[in-house]
Amino acid sequence: MFLTTKIAKLDRSVLFLVTCLVGIGTVAIYGATTDTRLDGLYISSLYLFALFCIPMLFIALVDYKILLGWLAYLFYSVGIGLLVLVKLVGENLNGAVRWLSIGSFQLQPSELAKICTVLLIAHLLGKREGQQLRFFQDLVPVCFVFFIPFILIMDQPDLGTALVFAGILLSMLWIGNIRALYMILILGVVIISIGTILWLYYANFDLLSKIVEPHQLSRIQAFLDPQSDPDKSWHVKNAMIAIGSGGLSGSEGIFLRKGYIPYAYSDSIYVVIGAKYGFIGSSILLILYLLLVYRMIFIALESRDRAGAYVVTGFIAMIIFQVSVNLGMHLGLLPLTGISLPFISYGGSSLLTNMIAIGIVLSVKVHKDESTD
């Protein structure tokens, strides 16, 4: 009876929206891989979704407060341990060491590290119970928790995921009641860092080439000056042309069929949607994300436990920044970087991470009326 009551409290809107997004992703993966050596990959995507529904629903029915005590420190330690393990024995794919091979499955620890980091930061912020964050007692520990995975992920190198971590931190600090002055200082550091990169690019290119990784430099160059080296901007140019060719309701996706879009089934899946289903398909996708974020915001506002609201905020930021970076890089608004589109791109680690996040969000909804003692 108790379990039945919890099941009845599950947010059906969130479950429906996630299912719709995965459905769109499956159709897009089919469109990207049909008549190629990866034909049938969409079936694997459906299998993974069905499999990951089990931990998502299990977590949803477990009180999320259990995850915000000593377990938050344990999970965080495991997440950091996996990131260190990647550095030691990780598999190098396309010049980046981001994956651990477990049989035929490749685990990307940086994805799971998002969950671990959000849980621990929410736990630390929750201790203040809404009071303004103190610098040394609160802000410094939270930033320390953030910078360890951030530095390890930047070293892989994985700029896209690192940017998502930064977005998560800023969002959670803002909701956690950081002083406006501290937030201004943090944003100032971000702006100065970006300005420094731009200045070095135009004023001292040789110095910049010594500071950043070669592949990162080529992506910055392709973004700031696409005409300087057509080979480096080839991916982004083709992506923009393919999306534009979709028009209002889509086209045959000739750029996809001829292989002009690398990783069309994973990081570049949005190009498939834009090309084959046009402006209408892209709009439906963005509306679904908007509705999902709206429901998550509603769950955060309903939570009587501040730590629960902080957890949901962290996952809202995770989804928003992933979607923004993925779409931005394919529309030429941001430098190209490897980052998946939540629930859409093919990838076991990404899908598992996002479904665990949704499971925790659902748990906040299910247990919102229970005592926080």
Side-chain angles (χ1 to χ4, degrees), residues 4 11 37 46 64 83 110 131 133 176 200 231 246 248 251 290 296 336 342-343 359 373:
T4 304
D11 194 301
R37 62 182 181 83
L46 286 176
Y64 69 94
L83 289 175
S110 59
Q131 298 182 57
L133 299 179
L200 287 174
D231 290 337
L248 180 63
S251 65
L290 180 62
M296 292 172 70
L336 184 67
F343 306 108
D373 296 335

mmCIF file with all atom_site columns, all heavy atoms in Angstrom, residues 4 11 37 46 64 83 110 131 133 176 200 231 246 248 251 290 296 336 342-343 359 373:
data_model
loop_
_atom_site.group_PDB
_atom_site.id
_atom_site.type_symbol
_atom_site.label_atom_id
_atom_site.label_alt_id
_atom_site.label_comp_id
_atom_site.label_asym_id
_atom_site.label_entity_id
_atom_site.label_seq_id
_atom_site.pdbx_PDB_ins_code
_atom_site.Cartn_x
_atom_site.Cartn_y
_atom_site.Cartn_z
_atom_site.occupancy
_atom_site.B_iso_or_equiv
_atom_site.pdbx_formal_charge
_atom_site.auth_seq_id
_atom_site.auth_comp_id
_atom_site.auth_asym_id
_atom_site.auth_atom_id
_atom_site.pdbx_PDB_model_num
ATOM 1   N N   . THR A 1 4   ? 2.434  1.657  -3.352  1.00 0.00 ? 4   THR A N   1
ATOM 2   C CA  . THR A 1 4   ? 1.414  2.111  -4.302  1.00 0.00 ? 4   THR A CA  1
ATOM 3   C C   . THR A 1 4   ? 1.178  3.612  -4.168  1.00 0.00 ? 4   THR A C   1
ATOM 4   O O   . THR A 1 4   ? 1.012  4.316  -5.169  1.00 0.00 ? 4   THR A O   1
ATOM 5   C CB  . THR A 1 4   ? 0.085  1.367  -4.058  1.00 0.00 ? 4   THR A CB  1
ATOM 6   O OG1 . THR A 1 4   ? 0.317  -0.041 -4.148  1.00 0.00 ? 4   THR A OG1 1
ATOM 7   C CG2 . THR A 1 4   ? -0.953 1.770  -5.086  1.00 0.00 ? 4   THR A CG2 1
ATOM 8   N N   . ASP A 1 11  ? 5.539  12.132 -10.807 1.00 0.00 ? 11  ASP A N   1
ATOM 9   C CA  . ASP A 1 11  ? 5.118  13.198 -11.719 1.00 0.00 ? 11  ASP A CA  1
ATOM 10  C C   . ASP A 1 11  ? 4.983  12.625 -13.126 1.00 0.00 ? 11  ASP A C   1
ATOM 11  O O   . ASP A 1 11  ? 5.980  12.415 -13.826 1.00 0.00 ? 11  ASP A O   1
ATOM 12  C CB  . ASP A 1 11  ? 6.133  14.345 -11.699 1.00 0.00 ? 11  ASP A CB  1
ATOM 13  C CG  . ASP A 1 11  ? 5.592  15.604 -12.352 1.00 0.00 ? 11  ASP A CG  1
ATOM 14  O OD1 . ASP A 1 11  ? 5.246  15.526 -13.539 1.00 0.00 ? 11  ASP A OD1 1
ATOM 15  O OD2 . ASP A 1 11  ? 5.502  16.642 -11.673 1.00 0.00 ? 11  ASP A OD2 1
ATOM 16  N N   . ARG A 1 37  ? 26.905 1.383  -41.531 1.00 0.00 ? 37  ARG A N   1
ATOM 17  C CA  . ARG A 1 37  ? 27.405 0.264  -40.737 1.00 0.00 ? 37  ARG A CA  1
ATOM 18  C C   . ARG A 1 37  ? 26.844 0.275  -39.316 1.00 0.00 ? 37  ARG A C   1
ATOM 19  O O   . ARG A 1 37  ? 26.958 -0.719 -38.588 1.00 0.00 ? 37  ARG A O   1
ATOM 20  C CB  . ARG A 1 37  ? 28.933 0.293  -40.688 1.00 0.00 ? 37  ARG A CB  1
ATOM 21  C CG  . ARG A 1 37  ? 29.512 1.524  -40.023 1.00 0.00 ? 37  ARG A CG  1
ATOM 22  C CD  . ARG A 1 37  ? 31.031 1.535  -40.047 1.00 0.00 ? 37  ARG A CD  1
ATOM 23  N NE  . ARG A 1 37  ? 31.588 2.706  -39.397 1.00 0.00 ? 37  ARG A NE  1
ATOM 24  C CZ  . ARG A 1 37  ? 31.774 2.817  -38.088 1.00 0.00 ? 37  ARG A CZ  1
ATOM 25  N NH1 . ARG A 1 37  ? 31.443 1.814  -37.289 1.00 0.00 ? 37  ARG A NH1 1
ATOM 26  N NH2 . ARG A 1 37  ? 32.290 3.922  -37.577 1.00 0.00 ? 37  ARG A NH2 1
ATOM 27  N N   . LEU A 1 46  ? 16.895 2.039  -27.569 1.00 0.00 ? 46  LEU A N   1
ATOM 28  C CA  . LEU A 1 46  ? 15.641 1.677  -26.895 1.00 0.00 ? 46  LEU A CA  1
ATOM 29  C C   . LEU A 1 46  ? 15.890 0.683  -25.769 1.00 0.00 ? 46  LEU A C   1
ATOM 30  O O   . LEU A 1 46  ? 15.279 0.779  -24.693 1.00 0.00 ? 46  LEU A O   1
ATOM 31  C CB  . LEU A 1 46  ? 14.660 1.087  -27.917 1.00 0.00 ? 46  LEU A CB  1
ATOM 32  C CG  . LEU A 1 46  ? 13.999 2.080  -28.876 1.00 0.00 ? 46  LEU A CG  1
ATOM 33  C CD1 . LEU A 1 46  ? 13.134 1.335  -29.884 1.00 0.00 ? 46  LEU A CD1 1
ATOM 34  C CD2 . LEU A 1 46  ? 13.157 3.098  -28.110 1.00 0.00 ? 46  LEU A CD2 1
ATOM 35  N N   . TYR A 1 64  ? 14.993 10.899 -1.329  1.00 0.00 ? 64  TYR A N   1
ATOM 36  C CA  . TYR A 1 64  ? 16.226 11.535 -1.803  1.00 0.00 ? 64  TYR A CA  1
ATOM 37  C C   . TYR A 1 64  ? 17.095 12.036 -0.657  1.00 0.00 ? 64  TYR A C   1
ATOM 38  O O   . TYR A 1 64  ? 18.318 12.211 -0.807  1.00 0.00 ? 64  TYR A O   1
ATOM 39  C CB  . TYR A 1 64  ? 15.884 12.716 -2.730  1.00 0.00 ? 64  TYR A CB  1
ATOM 40  C CG  . TYR A 1 64  ? 15.258 13.877 -2.005  1.00 0.00 ? 64  TYR A CG  1
ATOM 41  C CD1 . TYR A 1 64  ? 16.017 14.934 -1.530  1.00 0.00 ? 64  TYR A CD1 1
ATOM 42  C CD2 . TYR A 1 64  ? 13.878 13.913 -1.762  1.00 0.00 ? 64  TYR A CD2 1
ATOM 43  C CE1 . TYR A 1 64  ? 15.438 16.002 -0.857  1.00 0.00 ? 64  TYR A CE1 1
ATOM 44  C CE2 . TYR A 1 64  ? 13.297 14.967 -1.093  1.00 0.00 ? 64  TYR A CE2 1
ATOM 45  C CZ  . TYR A 1 64  ? 14.073 15.998 -0.640  1.00 0.00 ? 64  TYR A CZ  1
ATOM 46  O OH  . TYR A 1 64  ? 13.501 17.039 0.042   1.00 0.00 ? 64  TYR A OH  1
ATOM 47  N N   . LEU A 1 83  ? 37.241 9.428  -12.057 1.00 0.00 ? 83  LEU A N   1
ATOM 48  C CA  . LEU A 1 83  ? 37.912 10.413 -12.909 1.00 0.00 ? 83  LEU A CA  1
ATOM 49  C C   . LEU A 1 83  ? 39.432 10.242 -12.859 1.00 0.00 ? 83  LEU A C   1
ATOM 50  O O   . LEU A 1 83  ? 40.115 10.388 -13.882 1.00 0.00 ? 83  LEU A O   1
ATOM 51  C CB  . LEU A 1 83  ? 37.533 11.837 -12.480 1.00 0.00 ? 83  LEU A CB  1
ATOM 52  C CG  . LEU A 1 83  ? 36.102 12.275 -12.780 1.00 0.00 ? 83  LEU A CG  1
ATOM 53  C CD1 . LEU A 1 83  ? 35.828 13.657 -12.180 1.00 0.00 ? 83  LEU A CD1 1
ATOM 54  C CD2 . LEU A 1 83  ? 35.844 12.313 -14.288 1.00 0.00 ? 83  LEU A CD2 1
ATOM 55  N N   . SER A 1 110 ? 32.884 11.286 -16.303 1.00 0.00 ? 110 SER A N   1
ATOM 56  C CA  . SER A 1 110 ? 32.551 12.700 -16.159 1.00 0.00 ? 110 SER A CA  1
ATOM 57  C C   . SER A 1 110 ? 31.051 12.926 -16.153 1.00 0.00 ? 110 SER A C   1
ATOM 58  O O   . SER A 1 110 ? 30.554 13.892 -15.555 1.00 0.00 ? 110 SER A O   1
ATOM 59  C CB  . SER A 1 110 ? 33.190 13.518 -17.293 1.00 0.00 ? 110 SER A CB  1
ATOM 60  O OG  . SER A 1 110 ? 32.742 13.065 -18.559 1.00 0.00 ? 110 SER A OG  1
ATOM 61  N N   . GLN A 1 131 ? 19.996 30.755 4.594   1.00 0.00 ? 131 GLN A N   1
ATOM 62  C CA  . GLN A 1 131 ? 20.731 31.940 5.036   1.00 0.00 ? 131 GLN A CA  1
ATOM 63  C C   . GLN A 1 131 ? 21.826 32.274 4.027   1.00 0.00 ? 131 GLN A C   1
ATOM 64  O O   . GLN A 1 131 ? 22.291 31.418 3.285   1.00 0.00 ? 131 GLN A O   1
ATOM 65  C CB  . GLN A 1 131 ? 21.352 31.692 6.411   1.00 0.00 ? 131 GLN A CB  1
ATOM 66  C CG  . GLN A 1 131 ? 20.322 31.412 7.505   1.00 0.00 ? 131 GLN A CG  1
ATOM 67  C CD  . GLN A 1 131 ? 20.982 31.215 8.851   1.00 0.00 ? 131 GLN A CD  1
ATOM 68  O OE1 . GLN A 1 131 ? 21.710 32.080 9.330   1.00 0.00 ? 131 GLN A OE1 1
ATOM 69  N NE2 . GLN A 1 131 ? 20.738 30.065 9.474   1.00 0.00 ? 131 GLN A NE2 1
ATOM 70  N N   . LEU A 1 133 ? 25.153 32.811 2.158   1.00 0.00 ? 133 LEU A N   1
ATOM 71  C CA  . LEU A 1 133 ? 26.370 32.004 2.213   1.00 0.00 ? 133 LEU A CA  1
ATOM 72  C C   . LEU A 1 133 ? 27.543 32.823 2.727   1.00 0.00 ? 133 LEU A C   1
ATOM 73  O O   . LEU A 1 133 ? 27.753 33.968 2.312   1.00 0.00 ? 133 LEU A O   1
ATOM 74  C CB  . LEU A 1 133 ? 26.697 31.450 0.821   1.00 0.00 ? 133 LEU A CB  1
ATOM 75  C CG  . LEU A 1 133 ? 25.652 30.538 0.179   1.00 0.00 ? 133 LEU A CG  1
ATOM 76  C CD1 . LEU A 1 133 ? 26.118 30.090 -1.202  1.00 0.00 ? 133 LEU A CD1 1
ATOM 77  C CD2 . LEU A 1 133 ? 25.381 29.317 1.057   1.00 0.00 ? 133 LEU A CD2 1
ATOM 78  N N   . GLY A 1 176 ? 21.287 29.252 -3.864  1.00 0.00 ? 176 GLY A N   1
ATOM 79  C CA  . GLY A 1 176 ? 21.701 29.015 -2.477  1.00 0.00 ? 176 GLY A CA  1
ATOM 80  C C   . GLY A 1 176 ? 21.909 30.271 -1.674  1.00 0.00 ? 176 GLY A C   1
ATOM 81  O O   . GLY A 1 176 ? 22.349 30.211 -0.528  1.00 0.00 ? 176 GLY A O   1
ATOM 82  N N   . LEU A 1 200 ? 44.548 37.311 -26.451 1.00 0.00 ? 200 LEU A N   1
ATOM 83  C CA  . LEU A 1 200 ? 45.713 36.511 -26.837 1.00 0.00 ? 200 LEU A CA  1
ATOM 84  C C   . LEU A 1 200 ? 45.586 36.004 -28.270 1.00 0.00 ? 200 LEU A C   1
ATOM 85  O O   . LEU A 1 200 ? 46.581 35.932 -28.997 1.00 0.00 ? 200 LEU A O   1
ATOM 86  C CB  . LEU A 1 200 ? 45.888 35.327 -25.878 1.00 0.00 ? 200 LEU A CB  1
ATOM 87  C CG  . LEU A 1 200 ? 46.394 35.647 -24.480 1.00 0.00 ? 200 LEU A CG  1
ATOM 88  C CD1 . LEU A 1 200 ? 46.373 34.401 -23.602 1.00 0.00 ? 200 LEU A CD1 1
ATOM 89  C CD2 . LEU A 1 200 ? 47.812 36.218 -24.541 1.00 0.00 ? 200 LEU A CD2 1
ATOM 90  N N   . ASP A 1 231 ? 39.447 23.652 -43.278 1.00 0.00 ? 231 ASP A N   1
ATOM 91  C CA  . ASP A 1 231 ? 39.421 22.273 -42.759 1.00 0.00 ? 231 ASP A CA  1
ATOM 92  C C   . ASP A 1 231 ? 38.964 22.242 -41.297 1.00 0.00 ? 231 ASP A C   1
ATOM 93  O O   . ASP A 1 231 ? 38.247 21.341 -40.877 1.00 0.00 ? 231 ASP A O   1
ATOM 94  C CB  . ASP A 1 231 ? 40.801 21.633 -42.884 1.00 0.00 ? 231 ASP A CB  1
ATOM 95  C CG  . ASP A 1 231 ? 41.171 21.357 -44.335 1.00 0.00 ? 231 ASP A CG  1
ATOM 96  O OD1 . ASP A 1 231 ? 40.245 21.240 -45.163 1.00 0.00 ? 231 ASP A OD1 1
ATOM 97  O OD2 . ASP A 1 231 ? 42.374 21.271 -44.634 1.00 0.00 ? 231 ASP A OD2 1
ATOM 98  N N   . GLY A 1 246 ? 17.050 22.036 -44.012 1.00 0.00 ? 246 GLY A N   1
ATOM 99  C CA  . GLY A 1 246 ? 15.812 21.418 -43.529 1.00 0.00 ? 246 GLY A CA  1
ATOM 100 C C   . GLY A 1 246 ? 14.588 22.281 -43.748 1.00 0.00 ? 246 GLY A C   1
ATOM 101 O O   . GLY A 1 246 ? 13.468 21.771 -43.788 1.00 0.00 ? 246 GLY A O   1
ATOM 102 N N   . LEU A 1 248 ? 11.367 24.522 -43.437 1.00 0.00 ? 248 LEU A N   1
ATOM 103 C CA  . LEU A 1 248 ? 10.257 24.524 -42.480 1.00 0.00 ? 248 LEU A CA  1
ATOM 104 C C   . LEU A 1 248 ? 9.941  23.140 -41.954 1.00 0.00 ? 248 LEU A C   1
ATOM 105 O O   . LEU A 1 248 ? 9.791  22.942 -40.746 1.00 0.00 ? 248 LEU A O   1
ATOM 106 C CB  . LEU A 1 248 ? 9.009  25.126 -43.139 1.00 0.00 ? 248 LEU A CB  1
ATOM 107 C CG  . LEU A 1 248 ? 7.757  25.191 -42.262 1.00 0.00 ? 248 LEU A CG  1
ATOM 108 C CD1 . LEU A 1 248 ? 8.004  26.100 -41.056 1.00 0.00 ? 248 LEU A CD1 1
ATOM 109 C CD2 . LEU A 1 248 ? 6.558  25.673 -43.066 1.00 0.00 ? 248 LEU A CD2 1
ATOM 110 N N   . SER A 1 251 ? 13.947 17.911 -44.944 1.00 0.00 ? 251 SER A N   1
ATOM 111 C CA  . SER A 1 251 ? 14.350 17.499 -46.279 1.00 0.00 ? 251 SER A CA  1
ATOM 112 C C   . SER A 1 251 ? 14.877 16.069 -46.234 1.00 0.00 ? 251 SER A C   1
ATOM 113 O O   . SER A 1 251 ? 14.759 15.391 -45.211 1.00 0.00 ? 251 SER A O   1
ATOM 114 C CB  . SER A 1 251 ? 15.435 18.448 -46.817 1.00 0.00 ? 251 SER A CB  1
ATOM 115 O OG  . SER A 1 251 ? 16.613 18.320 -46.032 1.00 0.00 ? 251 SER A OG  1
ATOM 116 N N   . LEU A 1 290 ? 11.604 22.824 -22.872 1.00 0.00 ? 290 LEU A N   1
ATOM 117 C CA  . LEU A 1 290 ? 11.050 23.928 -22.089 1.00 0.00 ? 290 LEU A CA  1
ATOM 118 C C   . LEU A 1 290 ? 10.018 23.420 -21.086 1.00 0.00 ? 290 LEU A C   1
ATOM 119 O O   . LEU A 1 290 ? 10.010 23.826 -19.911 1.00 0.00 ? 290 LEU A O   1
ATOM 120 C CB  . LEU A 1 290 ? 10.423 24.961 -23.024 1.00 0.00 ? 290 LEU A CB  1
ATOM 121 C CG  . LEU A 1 290 ? 9.793  26.195 -22.361 1.00 0.00 ? 290 LEU A CG  1
ATOM 122 C CD1 . LEU A 1 290 ? 10.847 26.983 -21.610 1.00 0.00 ? 290 LEU A CD1 1
ATOM 123 C CD2 . LEU A 1 290 ? 9.113  27.079 -23.400 1.00 0.00 ? 290 LEU A CD2 1
ATOM 124 N N   . MET A 1 296 ? 10.256 20.804 -13.767 1.00 0.00 ? 296 MET A N   1
ATOM 125 C CA  . MET A 1 296 ? 11.302 20.654 -12.754 1.00 0.00 ? 296 MET A CA  1
ATOM 126 C C   . MET A 1 296 ? 11.362 21.882 -11.851 1.00 0.00 ? 296 MET A C   1
ATOM 127 O O   . MET A 1 296 ? 11.558 21.767 -10.632 1.00 0.00 ? 296 MET A O   1
ATOM 128 C CB  . MET A 1 296 ? 12.645 20.413 -13.444 1.00 0.00 ? 296 MET A CB  1
ATOM 129 C CG  . MET A 1 296 ? 12.726 19.062 -14.161 1.00 0.00 ? 296 MET A CG  1
ATOM 130 S SD  . MET A 1 296 ? 14.217 18.847 -15.165 1.00 0.00 ? 296 MET A SD  1
ATOM 131 C CE  . MET A 1 296 ? 15.474 18.700 -13.896 1.00 0.00 ? 296 MET A CE  1
ATOM 132 N N   . LEU A 1 336 ? 33.021 24.672 -31.277 1.00 0.00 ? 336 LEU A N   1
ATOM 133 C CA  . LEU A 1 336 ? 32.658 23.261 -31.344 1.00 0.00 ? 336 LEU A CA  1
ATOM 134 C C   . LEU A 1 336 ? 33.316 22.495 -30.207 1.00 0.00 ? 336 LEU A C   1
ATOM 135 O O   . LEU A 1 336 ? 34.516 22.635 -29.953 1.00 0.00 ? 336 LEU A O   1
ATOM 136 C CB  . LEU A 1 336 ? 33.097 22.672 -32.683 1.00 0.00 ? 336 LEU A CB  1
ATOM 137 C CG  . LEU A 1 336 ? 32.710 21.212 -32.948 1.00 0.00 ? 336 LEU A CG  1
ATOM 138 C CD1 . LEU A 1 336 ? 31.203 21.083 -33.086 1.00 0.00 ? 336 LEU A CD1 1
ATOM 139 C CD2 . LEU A 1 336 ? 33.421 20.704 -34.202 1.00 0.00 ? 336 LEU A CD2 1
ATOM 140 N N   . PRO A 1 342 ? 20.799 15.977 -24.172 1.00 0.00 ? 342 PRO A N   1
ATOM 141 C CA  . PRO A 1 342 ? 20.131 15.109 -23.183 1.00 0.00 ? 342 PRO A CA  1
ATOM 142 C C   . PRO A 1 342 ? 18.945 14.339 -23.753 1.00 0.00 ? 342 PRO A C   1
ATOM 143 O O   . PRO A 1 342 ? 18.061 14.915 -24.388 1.00 0.00 ? 342 PRO A O   1
ATOM 144 C CB  . PRO A 1 342 ? 19.671 16.110 -22.112 1.00 0.00 ? 342 PRO A CB  1
ATOM 145 C CG  . PRO A 1 342 ? 20.617 17.245 -22.229 1.00 0.00 ? 342 PRO A CG  1
ATOM 146 C CD  . PRO A 1 342 ? 20.935 17.356 -23.691 1.00 0.00 ? 342 PRO A CD  1
ATOM 147 N N   . PHE A 1 343 ? 18.939 13.025 -23.520 1.00 0.00 ? 343 PHE A N   1
ATOM 148 C CA  . PHE A 1 343 ? 17.877 12.088 -23.908 1.00 0.00 ? 343 PHE A CA  1
ATOM 149 C C   . PHE A 1 343 ? 17.775 11.879 -25.420 1.00 0.00 ? 343 PHE A C   1
ATOM 150 O O   . PHE A 1 343 ? 16.986 11.059 -25.864 1.00 0.00 ? 343 PHE A O   1
ATOM 151 C CB  . PHE A 1 343 ? 16.506 12.539 -23.376 1.00 0.00 ? 343 PHE A CB  1
ATOM 152 C CG  . PHE A 1 343 ? 16.476 12.775 -21.910 1.00 0.00 ? 343 PHE A CG  1
ATOM 153 C CD1 . PHE A 1 343 ? 16.399 14.070 -21.393 1.00 0.00 ? 343 PHE A CD1 1
ATOM 154 C CD2 . PHE A 1 343 ? 16.532 11.717 -21.024 1.00 0.00 ? 343 PHE A CD2 1
ATOM 155 C CE1 . PHE A 1 343 ? 16.375 14.295 -20.027 1.00 0.00 ? 343 PHE A CE1 1
ATOM 156 C CE2 . PHE A 1 343 ? 16.517 11.935 -19.648 1.00 0.00 ? 343 PHE A CE2 1
ATOM 157 C CZ  . PHE A 1 343 ? 16.432 13.222 -19.156 1.00 0.00 ? 343 PHE A CZ  1
ATOM 158 N N   . GLY A 1 359 ? 15.298 10.615 -11.936 1.00 0.00 ? 359 GLY A N   1
ATOM 159 C CA  . GLY A 1 359 ? 14.848 9.799  -10.813 1.00 0.00 ? 359 GLY A CA  1
ATOM 160 C C   . GLY A 1 359 ? 14.919 10.558 -9.496  1.00 0.00 ? 359 GLY A C   1
ATOM 161 O O   . GLY A 1 359 ? 14.000 10.499 -8.665  1.00 0.00 ? 359 GLY A O   1
ATOM 162 N N   . ASP A 1 373 ? 13.163 16.033 9.199   1.00 0.00 ? 373 ASP A N   1
ATOM 163 C CA  . ASP A 1 373 ? 13.941 15.756 10.403  1.00 0.00 ? 373 ASP A CA  1
ATOM 164 C C   . ASP A 1 373 ? 14.858 14.567 10.189  1.00 0.00 ? 373 ASP A C   1
ATOM 165 O O   . ASP A 1 373 ? 14.508 13.621 9.509   1.00 0.00 ? 373 ASP A O   1
ATOM 166 C CB  . ASP A 1 373 ? 13.022 15.485 11.605  1.00 0.00 ? 373 ASP A CB  1
ATOM 167 C CG  . ASP A 1 373 ? 12.201 16.719 11.947  1.00 0.00 ? 373 ASP A CG  1
ATOM 168 O OD1 . ASP A 1 373 ? 12.670 17.827 11.608  1.00 0.00 ? 373 ASP A OD1 1
ATOM 169 O OD2 . ASP A 1 373 ? 11.103 16.578 12.526  1.00 0.00 ? 373 ASP A OD2 1
#
